[in-house]
Amino acid sequence: MQRVIRIAIGCQLRVIEMHATTGERTVNGFLRGLPDLMARSHSIAVIGGDGIGPEVTRAALRVLDASERRFGFSTSREEYKWSSASYVEFGQRVTAADIDGLRKHEAILFGAIGDPRAPRGVVERDVILGLRRTLDLFVNLRPIVAYDDRLVPLKAKTAKDVDMIVVRENTEDVYTQTGAITGTGRDQVAEVPMRFTRPGIERVVRYAFELARSRPRRKLTLVDKANAITVQQLWRDIFDEIGADFPDVERDAMYVDATTMWMVQKPEQFDTIVTTNLFGDIITDLGAALVGGLGIAASGNIHPGAVSMFEPIHGSAPKYAGQGVASPLGSIGALAMLLRHIGEREAGDAIENAIRDGLRSGRIKGVEAGAQKTSDVADVVAHALD
Ligand code: IPM
Ligand code: MG
């Protein structure tokens, strides 16, 4: 039997659950010792990675320092030096056992992986896909929010027209296995299974319905390709089944090719989108382009109530590495999502407001590389929190 206590500490709602027999305590879903209940301290893993990853992550951590001062919590941060560079230099691979070691944290702030000297995709699969798979981070949450009119590249559309959130399934699809290229010459065949399981679809679709219900428009669009890839009919079936539990959420279903067209022509029709791993990957890059570019897009790789990973959508951008010119807004946005995940909702919202105000006022000059120094953007956001 669980006893649930809801208390507010420093304006934060904390849901504390105590197991009646074992005395085990969780706070907002996380297992906690007694001293933590009052002190609000959080354990975070930091993986800067490659290229611009470490510098944008450092910028986000400055914003985290400011949030802690303002909202009265603390974090202990453990750095993990996982990168393609350490693979190239020392042959070091990241294993599932290494990733398992991250379960002691509440969340992971992640930078980027990718080094032109490393073989394509090897370390990305080990680390990014490894984290998603090993920690079963089945939701990839990708908000597509235009913070200012000048960031919207579409003619005759303004910031109010682009405000959607994509729930990308994050553990199945063509991403689960590496597949194989077999045969030689003209007999070569490249093959990889596109695999979906009922529980895998159900849990992400249910998450998306809950999310859609919590947003003002209460609309959920399923994106698939069930006309050509007929096995995706299973997504449609489950979408309708689970949708029956959410009569207050408006339902729409759309093929992915049409979705790319409508995202450009009529983005205002989208609110919450749920989709497969591969299609989610593709449409969220388009989504990032609708709100200013990859420099601003943030994402959360989430398992509700368990350690989850937050990252900018952009990659390591080696050509800008070490110059201090990359925009840290994707990483700072990821930090805002991380804070909400660990129960510091107020801090997360304040960071997002600071990004929006900074862009609208012009104190943040842009989101493309070189618009402003990385550390200056961090300062603008951090000062807004003071
Ligand atoms: C993303 C990336 C990754 C993906 C790559 C780096 C493996 O594009 O997070 O969107 O395909 O998921
Ligand atoms: Mg991608």
Side-chain angles (χ1 to χ4, degrees), residues 56-373:
V56 296
T57 305
R58 220 172 301 125
L61 291 176
R62 275 165 77 167
V63 173
L64 179 58
D65 292 337
S67 326
E68 291 181 19
R69 286 194 298 273
R70 166 79 184 273
F71 294 99
F73 64 95
S74 64
T75 55
S76 62
R77 306 168 195 175
E78 190 173 337
E79 203 183 327
Y80 292 79
K81 296 206 169 296
W82 296 349
S83 63
S84 305
S86 46
Y87 172 72
V88 172
E89 282 157 31
F90 314 111
Q92 213 174 312
R93 302 267 312 244
V94 173
T95 65
D98 295 330
I99 293 173
D100 261 325
L102 298 177
R103 291 185 198 273
K104 65 179 181 204
H105 302 288
E106 286 168 63
I108 304 154
L109 185 64
F110 184 88
I113 288 287
D115 185 311
R117 296 170 299 164
R120 192 198 316 278
V122 170
V123 187
E124 288 87 334
R125 286 194 69 84
D126 283 356
V127 181
I128 304 178
L129 303 185
L131 282 160
R132 292 175 185 169
R133 190 177 45 241
T134 308
L135 301 176
D136 198 24
L137 308 175
F138 66 90
V139 172
N140 195 328
L141 194 60
R142 299 191 155 183
I144 298 169
V145 183
Y147 289 122
D148 187 41
D149 291 345
R150 75 191 151 99
L151 297 176
V152 179
L154 304 173
K155 207 158 63 181
K157 299 289 176 194
T158 59
K160 68 172 183 352
D161 297 311
V162 192
D163 183 0
M164 59 185 108
I165 186 158
V166 176
V167 178
R168 165 186 174 189
E169 200 289 320
N170 214 23
T171 54
E172 301 197 325
D173 205 341
V174 287
Y175 277 74
T176 34
Q177 286 157 56
T178 42
I181 303 173
T182 53
T184 51
R186 293 192 54 80
D187 293 330
Q188 278 197 308
V189 176
E191 206 171 7
V192 68
M194 178 178 268
R195 185 168 186 274
F196 305 104
T197 64
R198 173 169 273 275
I201 303 172
E202 277 178 357
R203 62 183 182 173
V204 79
V205 167
R206 188 165 289 282
Y207 179 98
F209 269 109
E210 298 281 1
L211 178 66
R213 175 178 268 173
S214 75
R215 292 167 55 92
R217 284 177 59 195
R218 297 188 171 200
K219 177 176 180 186
L220 180 62
T221 304
L222 168 67
V223 171
D224 62 31
K225 187 67 187 163
N227 55 349
I229 306 170
T230 49
V231 297
Q232 291 194 357
Q233 180 61 37
L234 189 57
W235 278 82
R236 298 247 163 169
D237 294 345
I238 292 172
F239 186 65
D240 289 338
E241 281 166 34
I242 294 182
D245 294 342
F246 295 83
D248 51 332
V249 176
E250 184 193 340
R251 262 181 273 164
D252 193 10
M254 204 179 269
Y255 301 133
V256 64
D257 47 352
T259 304
T260 59
M261 178 191 73
W262 287 121
M263 279 175 73
V264 171
Q265 288 196 334
K266 213 175 155 221
E268 65 276 17
Q269 73 176 289
F270 296 105
D271 182 55
T272 310
I273 291 176
V274 64
T275 189
T276 65
N277 203 342
L278 180 62
F279 298 157
D281 177 46
I282 297 165
I283 66 170
T284 53
D285 268 26
L286 172 58
L290 298 183
V291 297
L294 279 177
I296 198 170
S299 71
N301 297 264
I302 297 171
H303 188 115
V307 61
S308 297
M309 187 266 263
F310 298 83
E311 56 172 339
I313 294 188
H314 64 69
S316 59
K319 70 174 174 188
Y320 297 120
Q323 297 175 31
V325 295
S327 172
L329 289 176
S331 185
I332 296 172
L335 171 70
M337 297 179 79
L338 180 155
L339 289 171
R340 292 193 187 107
H341 177 74
I342 63 175
E344 300 293 346
R345 169 158 291 280
E346 221 187 337
D349 292 349
I351 293 173
E352 195 179 343
N353 287 336
I355 294 174
R356 181 182 285 110
D357 290 350
L359 284 165
R360 290 203 179 152
S361 66
R363 283 192 299 276
I364 299 175
K365 297 190 179 13
V367 301
E368 63 288 349
Q372 203 169 1
K373 276 170 61 187

